[in-house]
Amino acid sequence: MQYILALDQGTTSSRAIVFDHAGQPVAMAQKEFRQLFPQPGWVEHDPREIWATQHAVALEAVAQVGGIEHIAAIGITNQRETTLLWDRTTGHPVGNAIVWQDRRTAPRCDELRAQGHAGRIQRKTGLVIDAYFAGTKLEWLLDHVPGARARAERGELAFGTVDSWLVWNLTGGRVHATDASNASRTMLLDLRTQDWSEELLALLRVPRAVLPQVVPSSGVIAETEPALFGRALPIAGIAGDQQAATFGQACFTPGLAKNTYGTGCFMLMNTGAQPVASRNRLVTTIGWQGPPGPHRTAYCLEGSVFMAGATVQWLRDGLQIIQSAPEVESLAAQVDDTEDVYLVPAFAGLGTPDWDGYARGTLVGMTRGTGRAHIARAALEAIALQSADVFAAMARDAGLPLTELRVDGGASRNNLLMQMQADFLGVPVVRPQVTETTALGAAYLAGLATGFWRDAGEIAAQWRAERRFEPRLAPAEREAKLARWREAVARAKGWAVS
């Protein structure tokens, strides 16, 4: 038997999943790693831990299927926007990775907006100006790591998002590359030319010498160092986690949309071969780029919710009202409603459609009767309500009503949350049989490049629904709930500036 190995490097853990020709997972390994919070609003990872955990789980998963001789290719998917800088000679990072959730560059983003750059940046990159994206993070590292800017200009340092860091380590430092989907999240890539923008590099004072080569999402870009796995393996697919999940959900037709419930929630809709400019504060992004051909690049509209599964982690680790994440469903089910309690989990600011880097987490509406179950239910509702805001913006941008939402990610297995989501959207929520669609998308991209799968049609035929959640709320109740939620959001906005 031959399989595809998918490396799924996420925000809180590194995973490796092996898929068979039917697109079914046959082996999996996972390791969590540390989350570092050196200052309020700052979030960092140790790049060495990212690589060590990813390599370890890859070896573990390969062993489960009988050894490396059964692996045909590797696909990579990764937490996006997280920014790393390392020495090209030694391969050592110059500091910790700045995670996508980090807000330290919010004041710099304010400056860029005040200077009138918002329209130009959105037209070129498809992105709004926000600390979420990698460009200002890289600028910060170049300015704050002693000697980094001069070293970068001399070509001694390499910048990358997590995919680049993994490729660098997998190839023993021979290849410095990123795929088009990850490159489109840096605020440095021109969406139409699909190359780095000299204008934006000058604006953020980023030397071109520090940047990786942009490569297709599906295509053999390198081979691994033989010593890492026992023989060289082709690295044949790379995509940022949300684009990979969209591919794994077989959203190949314009108008199909998916929502992934991971650390955050990320809703993407395929818009076809041309980028669509958003009028409702969504971002335009490259979905994936294949080999040369008439449909080489697929574009997407995307809405981003920063705190989803991370909200449940906060209940576990911060409030300590649950012992493990799956407990949240049974705890929340102990009450029929939140009794007008709302949690706005703006711990890392607010993403789509508010884009407020100064919003902070807020819990409103509590009385003496409020208990653990009400807070747990409010946390689940917050995940679904944030996604409902994104869904409404996407429907307005698309100019057509979205008739269903495909869902995946760890929290999509929470039936109570998925029912809430259908209720707040007013359309069915459809969960596939394979919910590990992020890793599956990376596997599909690698398998297409190596002939493991024939074409997108063969992949689309493998997609199967496991359950449909139909909306139960009356339209008037739904509208009242969404309006009350927006009142709670208004109370969270701008808090860190006050």
Side-chain angles (χ1 to χ4, degrees):
M1 289 289 291
Q2 287 286 292
Y3 306 103
I4 301 291
L5 171 63
L7 306 183
D8 183 358
Q9 204 299 302
T11 308
T12 58
S13 69
S14 295
R15 300 192 306 163
I17 305 181
V18 178
F19 291 94
D20 65 15
H21 196 268
Q24 296 294 313
V26 295
M28 185 178 83
Q30 179 172 358
K31 285 185 185 294
E32 290 193 3
F33 54 85
R34 292 179 301 155
Q35 308 296 300
L36 308 171
F37 309 104
Q39 294 186 34
W42 290 29
V43 188
E44 296 180 353
H45 292 157
D46 182 341
R48 293 162 297 192
E49 279 191 59
I50 289 175
W51 166 241
T53 54
Q54 190 64 77
H55 185 217
V57 294
L59 290 172
E60 190 177 335
V62 167
Q64 290 174 30
V65 294
I68 201 66
E69 62 271 18
H70 298 293
I71 304 299
I74 290 179
I76 295 172
T77 185
N78 56 284
Q79 54 165 313
R80 302 172 306 170
E81 295 95 15
T82 295
T83 301
L84 301 94
L85 194 61
W86 64 91
D87 185 296
R88 287 184 182 274
T89 302
T90 65
H92 295 158
V94 302
N96 282 335
I98 302 180
V99 178
W100 58 272
Q101 298 166 317
D102 189 284
R103 307 308 300 172
R104 76 185 67 181
T105 64
R108 173 58 171 149
C109 292
D110 292 342
E111 283 180 15
L112 292 168
R113 278 189 291 270
Q115 292 165 1
H117 297 300
R120 178 166 54 134
I121 285 175
Q122 185 162 17
R123 283 191 298 274
K124 282 227 177 249
T125 69
L127 309 178
V128 299
I129 296 176
D130 194 82
Y132 171 39
F133 302 109
T136 57
K137 293 176 168 63
L138 173 55
E139 181 188 44
W140 190 95
L141 284 169
L142 293 172
D143 285 339
H144 289 83
V145 174
R149 184 169 294 284
R151 295 183 65 202
E153 288 170 353
R154 292 195 299 268
E156 297 173 9
L157 299 183
F159 150 74
T161 43
V162 169
D163 59 312
S164 297
W165 176 240
L166 294 181
V167 169
W168 179 275
N169 283 282
L170 285 166
T171 61
R174 287 181 288 108
V175 178
H176 183 210
T178 187
D179 93 293
S181 73
N182 278 292
S184 73
R185 314 298 296 186
T186 59
M187 221 162 73
L188 298 171
L189 189 86
D190 187 317
L191 272 189
R192 283 163 179 80
T193 66
Q194 297 171 30
D195 194 10
W196 305 115
S197 164
E198 294 294 347
E199 184 181 355
L200 297 180
L201 295 182
L203 177 64
L204 294 180
R205 299 174 301 123
V206 172
R208 194 177 182 101
V210 82
L211 298 173
Q213 177 188 2
V214 181
V215 299
S217 311
S218 183
V220 177
I221 66 155
E223 287 192 336
T224 62
E225 277 290 293
L228 289 174
F229 298 106
R231 71 175 176 89
L233 289 171
I235 301 170
I238 306 172
D241 51 11
Q242 302 315 316
Q243 290 97 325
T246 310
F247 202 86
Q249 283 273 36
C251 292
F252 303 141
T253 305
L256 283 178
K258 71 88 201 174
N259 198 25
T260 295
Y261 299 79
T263 301
C265 269
F266 300 91
M267 192 179 298
L268 277 77
M269 181 179 69
N270 185 335
T271 61
Q274 296 297 323
V276 173
S278 174
R279 302 177 303 278
N280 292 282
R281 309 198 81 191
L282 299 172
V283 301
T284 305
T285 194
I286 292 175
W288 49 84
Q289 187 186 85
H295 304 294
R296 183 181 189 190
T297 302
Y299 291 90
C300 293
L301 282 170
E302 176 177 336
S304 305
V305 170
F306 296 156
M307 297 290 291
T311 305
V312 177
Q313 285 183 323
W314 175 71
L315 297 182
R316 182 193 69 188
D317 303 333
L319 290 190
Q320 298 183 2
I321 64 173
I322 54 175
Q323 297 288 309
S324 64
E327 287 178 32
V328 70
E329 183 172 7
S330 58
L331 178 59
Q334 290 177 13
V335 292
D336 293 331
D337 60 64
T338 66
E339 296 184 356
D340 205 34
V341 171
Y342 287 83
L343 170 64
V344 183
F347 302 108
L350 288 169
T352 310
D354 300 285
W355 293 107
D356 184 348
Y358 299 102
R360 289 296 179 264
T362 308
L363 188 59
V364 296
M366 290 185 294
T367 67
R368 284 289 298 273
T370 301
R372 295 165 58 243
H374 298 99
I375 294 172
R377 193 175 186 97
L380 291 186
E381 284 195 353
I383 297 170
L385 286 162
Q386 290 177 102
S387 294
D389 285 343
V390 175
F391 190 83
M394 195 163 281
R396 290 193 296 270
D397 266 347
L400 49 89
L402 303 179
T403 56
E404 71 173 29
L405 182 67
R406 294 182 175 185
V407 297
D408 54 63
S412 71
R413 292 189 285 270
N414 184 316
N415 291 331
L416 178 58
L417 173 60
M418 293 300 98
Q419 185 58 54
M420 289 175 173
Q421 191 67 83
D423 288 341
F424 299 154
L425 296 182
V427 301
V429 165
V430 186
R431 184 170 63 199
Q433 290 179 0
V434 177
T435 56
E436 299 292 356
T437 54
T438 301
L440 179 58
Y444 279 154
L445 288 165
L448 283 174
T450 54
F452 192 81
W453 287 287
R454 186 175 60 255
D455 54 29
E458 183 181 5
I459 288 171
Q462 293 184 351
W463 190 89
R464 296 281 189 280
E466 180 261 328
R467 180 167 172 180
R468 289 174 65 88
F469 296 84
E470 299 288 342
R472 297 173 183 167
L473 270 187
E477 288 182 88
R478 179 181 309 115
E479 292 305 316
K481 185 74 177 178
L482 294 173
R484 191 66 165 156
W485 160 251
R486 293 307 303 174
E487 289 182 47
V489 170
R491 284 159 170 77
K493 293 178 74 172
W495 183 262
V497 199
S498 303

